[in-house]
Amino acid sequence: MRRRSAILGQLAAWVTVGVLFFPLYWMFNTSLAPQDQLYVYPPRLLHPNPTFAAYRKVFAERPMTRWLTNSALVVVATTTAALTVSVLAGYSLSRFRVRGSGALGYVLLASRMLPTTLLVIPLFVFMSRLHLVNTLAAAVIANVTFIMPFATWMLKAYFDTIPRELDEAAAIDGASRLGVLVRVVMPLAAPGLAGTALYSAILAWDEYLFARTFLNTTSVWTISVGLGSFKGEYVTFWNEVMAACLVGTLPIIGIFLVLERQLVSGLTAGGIK
């Protein structure tokens, strides 16, 4: 009975993995299709004459490298800024008991539920007055505004699992409050920090609305905005679309596979205590 249950469990796991990875396979399969075989019916699970012409055309006719670089810069800057603010805010909410601190935490969590469309207009006015429209800084600031509340909540939940006695022991040894955070708490909270960083990176890489609103010229587009430009007015070459989408997806998938355990640990830390 146990053996049968184990086999069924493994079978279910493989089916789930296959279902989840099939879109990636279909993207790759479509990207290899020759131009004259895009609309063959029924669709083919494997093209008899695969070609990488779509990849060559995508990089030759579009500034894909520039878009990927812009996205990487936005992700690094957003993750660094969001993590810095969230660490300080999360530690303060976790350790300092002042009137209204609990309500402030819930307000931060509730603010994460606001739709991005509600923030676009005020942020655009703010960016215009600071002359930041059409710069990567505008996308970074907008992303941090949207990411920081939930990132703070994640880190606050993780900091709550670290005993306060460690803070007190370090303070007795002469460490300042900031020294306690940097030297004691943050090393113990490494999985939570990695999970928060991955969460921030994924959202910043995939973000479209802010980038499309604030970035107007092709040279400063991120990869998400650039992918939207592949849809033509009258005809769309889906092999080129899939090739560009696959190129734009692989970096963040690689980061996720490396840090997936830390992300799960960071998300579930608060539920154990």
Side-chain angles (χ1 to χ4, degrees):
M1 191 56 131
R2 290 183 178 179
R3 181 177 177 82
R4 181 180 299 177
S5 299
I7 294 175
L8 291 177
Q10 292 181 2
L11 180 62
W14 280 109
V15 170
T16 302
V17 171
V19 171
L20 293 176
F21 275 90
F22 182 78
L24 289 176
Y25 165 74
W26 194 251
M27 288 170 62
F28 180 67
N29 183 55
T30 305
S31 70
L32 297 181
Q35 206 74 42
D36 58 349
Q37 297 181 16
L38 283 177
Y39 304 104
V40 174
Y41 186 84
R44 296 173 177 175
L45 291 177
L46 186 63
H47 287 285
N49 301 309
T51 174
F52 287 92
Y55 291 91
R56 292 191 294 267
K57 188 175 180 181
V58 161
F59 278 93
E61 298 183 357
R62 307 292 178 103
M64 288 289 294
T65 304
R66 167 64 67 179
W67 294 343
L68 291 170
T69 303
N70 290 341
S71 290
L73 292 174
V74 169
V75 166
V76 171
T78 298
T79 302
T80 302
L83 203 60
T84 301
V85 175
S86 300
V87 164
L88 297 174
Y91 183 73
S92 299
L93 291 173
S94 175
R95 292 300 192 261
F96 300 144
R97 299 303 181 189
V98 297
R99 182 176 298 179
S101 61
L104 178 60
Y106 287 108
V107 168
L108 282 173
L109 185 61
S111 65
R112 177 62 180 84
M113 302 176 187
L114 296 175
T116 54
T117 51
L118 189 65
L119 303 174
V120 167
I121 294 178
L123 280 174
F124 186 82
V125 173
F126 175 74
M127 301 300 176
S128 298
R129 292 180 177 178
L130 293 180
H131 304 287
L132 293 177
V133 175
N134 206 33
T135 66
L136 295 179
V140 172
I141 294 173
N143 289 338
V144 172
T145 301
F146 190 70
I147 292 171
M148 189 269 294
F150 190 68
T152 298
W153 186 262
M154 287 176 60
L155 287 175
K156 189 264 183 187
Y158 206 94
F159 290 148
D160 285 344
T161 65
I162 299 175
R164 295 172 178 268
E165 290 76 10
L166 296 177
D167 298 37
E168 297 171 357
I172 292 174
D173 290 338
S176 63
R177 178 65 70 174
L178 185 60
V180 172
L181 172 62
V182 174
R183 299 178 182 178
V184 178
V185 177
M186 288 181 63
L188 295 175
L193 295 175
T196 305
L198 179 58
Y199 165 80
S200 302
I202 291 175
L203 289 186
W205 185 273
D206 291 338
E207 200 284 319
Y208 176 81
L209 181 60
F210 291 145
R212 188 68 184 90
T213 303
F214 301 136
L215 307 177
N216 301 325
T217 58
T218 307
S219 60
V220 295
W221 279 1
T222 58
I223 188 65
S224 60
V225 181
L227 293 179
S229 68
F230 280 87
K231 183 173 175 56
E233 183 177 0
Y234 300 105
V235 62
T236 300
F237 299 110
W238 289 106
N239 55 343
E240 297 176 17
V241 173
M242 292 298 102
C245 288
L246 194 61
V247 170
T249 303
L250 289 180
I252 203 65
I253 291 178
I255 296 175
F256 177 81
L257 292 177
V258 172
L259 299 178
E260 179 267 338
R261 290 187 178 181
Q262 285 78 2
L263 176 64
V264 174
S265 177
L267 288 172
T268 59
I272 301 176
K273 189 175 179 181

